[in-house]
Amino acid sequence: MSFIVDEQLPESLVKWLESQSFDTIHATSLGTGTKITDEEIALKSMEQQRVVISKDIDFFNRFIIKNEP
């Protein structure tokens, strides 16, 4: 299973998931140079078939309404 960890969550979560053998990236590593939007994270998660880990309710609402990512 592969994950994208949203930017408000710590990079230590990425390290822990990697130590459990999960393919994981942090949203800040997507390299936009600015604050990454939820839309960009959602698009990357769909492109790369990654589950988004976030404490942001917007991702839950997006899933309920659009069934994505």
Side-chain angles (χ1 to χ4, degrees):
M1 188 170 282
S2 300
F3 299 101
I4 293 180
V5 175
D6 201 0
E7 61 189 346
Q8 83 273 30
L9 295 172
E11 299 239 2
S12 60
L13 178 56
V14 172
K15 291 177 182 163
W16 183 81
L17 287 165
E18 289 175 332
S19 76
Q20 303 302 306
S21 300
F22 292 107
D23 177 20
T24 309
I25 60 172
H26 198 270
T28 57
S29 72
L30 297 176
T32 64
T34 60
K35 184 174 170 69
I36 189 165
T37 65
D38 290 347
E39 180 70 23
E40 292 170 305
I41 293 170
L43 289 173
K44 283 293 182 187
S45 73
M46 289 183 287
E47 285 173 10
Q48 299 178 8
Q49 297 183 354
R50 293 180 181 272
V51 175
V52 176
I53 300 176
S54 177
K55 62 180 183 179
D56 187 347
I57 192 73
D58 293 344
F59 285 104
F60 175 75
N61 292 338
R62 182 184 182 105
F63 179 75
I64 295 300
I65 294 167
K66 294 184 175 182
N67 198 32
E68 62 182 43

